[in-house]
Amino acid sequence: MRDAVDQPLWSPPPDRVARSNLAAFLARARTGGRPELTDYPSAHRWSVTGPEEFWPAVWRFAGLIAEPRPGEPWDAVGVGLTRMAPPDPRRGPWWFPGARLNFAENLLRHAGSGPALIFWNESGHQRTLTFDELRVATGRVAAALRAHGVRPGDRVAGFLPNLPEAVVAMLAATSLGAVWSSCSPDFGIDGVVDRFGQIAPRVLFCADGYRYAGRAIDTRERVAGIVARIPAIERVVVVPYLADRPRIDGIPRAAHWDDWIGPATGAASGFERFDFNHPLYVLYSSGTTGLPKCMVHGAGGTLLQHRKEHALHVDLKPGDRLFYFTTCGWMMWNWLASGLAAGATVVLYDGSPLVPKRDILWSLAAAERVTVFGASAKYLALAEKESLTPARTHDLSALRTIISTGSPLAGHSYDYVYRDVKPDVHLCNISGGTEIISCFAIGNPLDPVRRGEMQGPGLGMAVDVLAPDGSSLRGAPGELVCTRPFPSMPVRFWNDPDGSKYRAAYFERFPGVWRHGDWTGFTASGGLVIHGRSDATLNPAGVRIGTAEIYRTVEAMPDVLECVAIGQMVAGAADERIVLFVRLREGRVLDGALTEALRARIREHASPRHVPARIVQVADIPRTISGKISELAIRAVVHGRPVDNRDALANPEALELYRDLPELKEQGA
């Protein structure tokens, strides 16, 4: 936790605090009998100790559209909310059993000629859909799905670039009570089949291809291979992207988007409402250590959690413009789409963030007057390496908030944002995951931002840090856990009738507590620092070290583009040693001087225990499709073990760079 310091980098001005949604929410709660709610710590205590008051208050503040089940009050908050375990309708935790709602209805509640979706790719602005046009498009696709016989609970899948049609298809499917699931088109056939093959979708939406780094990549052959291996797919709907009317005769049961929805007319209306916990999305674990787990998220829990995060943490308001750089294969796409419920304009981008135009995302932010800009921690680090200075090259006067997630945000990236992007912006560093389709740690608009740390746990999230014996830790890193239920827990895992997969994933290490798998610590100010995944934690000489502590230290060096660290067991040694792999700038070679400079920096900025025994230069680093470094896959290759699911990686060929390395053969430090 050495990157965090006491002095804030930014503090919200009093007038901005006063205008925030969170200030209004707390004022309403004080009027309703909670006079003690004067700051964020008091609000957080109330949110985790009084869920029966807090979550209905969020519901009312957000104005969710719903109705009670006959004979039951909608605001009976839940069953078994003291039981932290996989949800069960009878024993709990089971949220709002008396409420019925339609997810798509809540996202389509706003009307008019204002922009609902703005779409960019590497060539710039492509299309805008108004709120009225989005409702009409959703209604037409919903009518076509209904005509095909799609019913509540059926699965509809998207193998799509981040196009407006992806949002439209999702809204159409969920408006009917169908379950939506999506993968980005850079997945291989095996990766898609490993996911969609488990849930057996009836309809598959795809495009003829996608564009990335100046290239057009045709995916029609891949789609044909997917359909051949998933017999449940009855219809393939092809969105034209690379061509106006691509040939699709090689894809079984395929129809062009316009032809398929052509006969259907009218805007979305007359939404059927379903139980609060009705399945909405299936999301997937990375699948790098086996077949991906299929996590089923409920409509009400997802909606309520996203509205809480958007309104109270990100301060999203009607008329704002929300952007996040993501693909349809990452949970941040689902989170982004929910911004429609706030009356915000959702800005979509598909393509490379740096090639062929290095500043394309900042150009998008300036041209579209983006108010909330989101990207991965890796993007911000690379933007710094590329010497992008949007504060001096782009008009970012509309920008209020920058969100970062995907991996720990290093201290130097905080410095970069406030120095080179915008000095008066709320840097909202967040961390959660696919498993909860939301955040455990997040920012808030009332408190300062400190270098290297997230501002704190989210409202309603009873976050703690535990030692191996289960005791609570302060001042030292440990396991990130959640000790009380929250609405966006998966309602179940797919093909897990007795809940055993669900329990094994999160509840076996500390019974009655959700163990998330992040190696984390609280700071003196109450913030949080993520040190890396606990299953990738290094353990030299029995001392647990988070990989992120090494990454943020090493990647601050100008010559290092990125790095990855693993623990290596060596024959005859009693303990593992740390091996650091570095990808350097083009033309730079890892010589003795740079190796010693790296070791000296790690020793100074982390600790002597963090200094790697070996430092090796590599040309590439394996990542999952969602962009996360796969330490476990590298560790498996280094130790001569098979990688169970190579197709879960965006660049599986990079694994061969780590096989039988002579630098790792010899023993010793």
Side-chain angles (χ1 to χ4, degrees):
M1 293 182 285
R2 298 175 64 144
D3 256 335
V5 296
D6 292 334
Q7 290 301 313
L9 290 172
W10 175 83
S11 295
D15 62 328
R16 178 166 175 170
V17 170
R19 294 193 309 267
S20 69
N21 289 329
L22 183 53
F25 174 76
L26 295 181
R28 187 180 296 185
R30 288 194 297 272
T31 302
R34 285 287 181 178
E36 75 278 10
L37 302 180
T38 58
D39 55 15
Y40 192 81
S42 62
H44 186 263
R45 282 193 299 273
W46 171 56
S47 72
V48 298
T49 59
E52 69 287 342
E53 289 185 83
F54 171 73
W55 289 109
V58 174
W59 184 305
R60 287 187 288 266
F61 188 81
L64 268 59
I65 302 171
E67 65 186 19
R69 293 180 64 181
E72 296 187 44
W74 73 266
D75 56 353
V77 177
V79 174
L81 297 188
T82 60
R83 177 179 182 267
M84 190 49 153
D88 180 280
R90 296 174 302 280
R91 296 183 295 160
W94 201 247
W95 294 87
F96 293 99
R100 294 172 62 83
L101 56 78
N102 186 291
F103 181 82
E105 180 183 15
N106 277 272
L107 269 62
L108 292 168
R109 63 188 302 168
H110 301 277
S113 59
L117 299 177
I118 294 174
F119 170 56
W120 276 51
N121 63 17
E122 293 170 1
S123 299
H125 177 268
Q126 300 298 306
R127 278 184 286 157
T128 296
L129 268 69
T130 68
F131 285 102
D132 285 346
E133 289 169 339
L134 179 60
R135 287 178 63 89
V136 169
T138 299
R140 294 179 67 198
V141 176
L145 287 169
R146 188 183 294 110
H148 185 76
V150 171
R151 300 180 297 273
D154 286 346
R155 277 76 62 205
V156 176
F159 180 59
L160 286 162
N162 192 15
L163 303 172
E165 286 83 359
V167 178
V168 170
M170 178 275 287
L171 290 170
T174 58
S175 74
L176 303 178
V179 182
W180 174 262
S181 189
S182 56
C183 290
S184 58
D186 48 356
F187 273 67
I189 293 174
D190 289 342
V192 177
V193 173
D194 284 348
R195 289 158 174 79
F196 293 166
Q198 295 187 68
I199 66 169
R202 293 185 61 190
V203 177
L204 175 68
F205 289 90
C206 67
D208 56 332
Y210 66 99
R211 302 180 189 278
Y212 195 85
R215 297 184 299 123
I217 297 97
D218 190 328
T219 57
R220 288 173 294 176
E221 185 175 343
R222 239 182 293 167
V223 171
I226 292 163
V227 176
R229 292 176 56 185
I230 305 179
I233 296 174
E234 301 164 355
R235 170 63 74 188
V236 181
V237 183
V238 183
V239 177
Y241 186 34
L242 301 185
D244 290 337
R245 191 169 178 84
R247 289 192 59 178
I248 58 172
D249 49 306
I251 303 173
R253 303 181 290 284
H256 286 102
W257 170 275
D258 287 336
D259 294 345
W260 187 69
I261 66 173
T265 60
S269 61
F271 296 96
E272 181 181 355
R273 291 168 183 164
F274 305 94
D275 288 347
F276 183 88
N277 298 289
H278 184 79
L280 171 76
Y281 292 138
V282 175
L283 272 62
Y284 307 93
S285 66
S286 63
T288 53
T289 57
L291 204 62
K293 295 185 287 289
C294 305
M295 292 160 279
V296 183
H297 287 287
T302 300
L303 178 65
L304 184 59
Q305 185 81 314
H306 286 181
R307 290 294 289 120
K308 178 207 74 175
E309 292 181 344
H310 287 158
L312 304 184
H313 293 281
V314 178
D315 203 31
L316 191 68
K317 298 174 180 177
D320 275 342
R321 298 196 167 191
L322 173 65
F323 167 76
Y324 207 98
F325 174 60
T326 181
T327 70
C328 298
W330 189 18
M331 59 137 290
M332 292 309 298
W333 180 85
N334 308 79
W335 190 92
L336 172 66
S338 291
L340 292 167
T345 300
V346 169
V347 182
L348 308 172
Y349 177 80
D350 192 73
S352 167
L354 292 168
V355 179
K357 299 174 183 177
R358 296 190 312 154
D359 62 350
I360 184 70
L361 297 191
W362 301 117
S363 296
L364 176 156
E368 303 299 348
R369 307 289 294 167
V370 167
T371 52
V372 180
F373 176 100
S376 66
K378 176 54 64 178
Y379 171 75
L380 292 175
L382 290 175
E384 181 182 8
K385 297 283 186 184
E386 292 289 327
S387 300
L388 300 182
T389 57
R392 290 176 280 285
T393 58
H394 293 74
D395 177 8
L396 300 181
S397 54
L399 185 62
R400 295 196 318 266
T401 302
I402 293 178
I403 310 171
S404 173
T405 191
S407 59
L409 187 66
H412 64 82
S413 290
Y414 283 73
D415 300 336
Y416 167 70
V417 166
Y418 285 105
R419 181 186 65 242
D420 293 329
V421 180
K422 196 176 187 188
D424 62 342
V425 75
H426 178 200
L427 180 54
C428 187
N429 187 8
I430 67 179
S431 181
T434 298
E435 304 93 325
I436 64 170
I437 203 168
S438 60
C439 305
F440 280 128
I442 195 168
N444 80 77
L446 307 185
D447 291 338
V449 173
R450 290 178 168 82
R451 186 179 192 270
E453 65 179 71
M454 293 170 286
Q455 286 175 284
L459 294 171
M461 312 300 275
V463 171
D464 202 355
V465 175
L466 299 188
D469 63 2
S471 60
S472 186
L473 282 172
R474 293 296 183 273
E479 292 279 1
L480 173 67
V481 302
C482 192
T483 60
R484 299 183 185 218
F486 49 94
S488 64
M489 293 169 60
V491 293
R492 60 187 172 95
F493 280 14
W494 200 263
N495 293 328
D496 184 28
D498 62 355
S500 58
K501 294 179 184 177
Y502 197 160
R503 282 191 297 275
Y506 306 111
F507 296 102
E508 285 190 348
R509 178 64 181 84
F510 300 107
V513 172
W514 176 294
R515 172 186 172 268
H516 196 55
D518 282 336
W519 194 242
T520 306
F522 280 105
T523 67
S525 63
L528 286 159
V529 175
I530 303 290
H531 297 273
R533 293 292 295 173
S534 56
D535 55 7
T537 299
L538 307 171
N539 198 30
V543 178
R544 300 193 76 184
I545 293 172
T547 53
E549 298 172 86
I550 297 176
Y551 299 165
R552 60 173 166 258
T553 297
V554 171
E555 290 178 1
M557 297 187 71
D559 288 327
V560 180
L561 292 177
E562 57 182 351
C563 63
V564 59
I566 66 164
Q568 182 195 13
M569 295 302 300
V570 181
D575 213 340
E576 73 175 23
R577 65 183 181 187
I578 298 175
V579 177
L580 176 66
F581 300 98
V582 293
R583 185 168 76 88
L584 303 179
R585 286 188 177 278
E586 187 174 355
R588 192 67 172 92
V589 175
L590 182 68
D591 55 19
L594 181 55
T595 298
E596 288 310 309
L598 286 165
R599 287 191 166 125
R601 180 174 178 83
I602 294 167
R603 184 178 293 106
E604 177 185 356
H605 291 274
S607 81
R609 290 192 181 95
H610 290 73
V611 177
R614 293 286 184 272
I615 303 179
V616 181
Q617 183 175 356
V618 290
D620 199 5
I621 293 178
R623 293 183 175 274
T624 65
I625 295 290
S626 61
K628 295 182 179 180
I629 291 174
S630 186
E631 290 107 333
L632 296 181
I634 295 170
R635 183 181 171 94
V637 171
V638 166
H639 288 93
R641 298 193 295 266
V643 177
D644 293 334
N645 195 349
R646 294 169 60 96
D647 212 51
L649 298 175
N651 54 341
E653 67 282 354
L655 288 174
E656 296 308 310
L657 301 173
Y658 299 80
R659 193 179 305 280
D660 298 326
L661 290 171
E663 297 94 331
L664 304 186
K665 294 293 186 184
E666 71 276 17
Q667 188 176 335

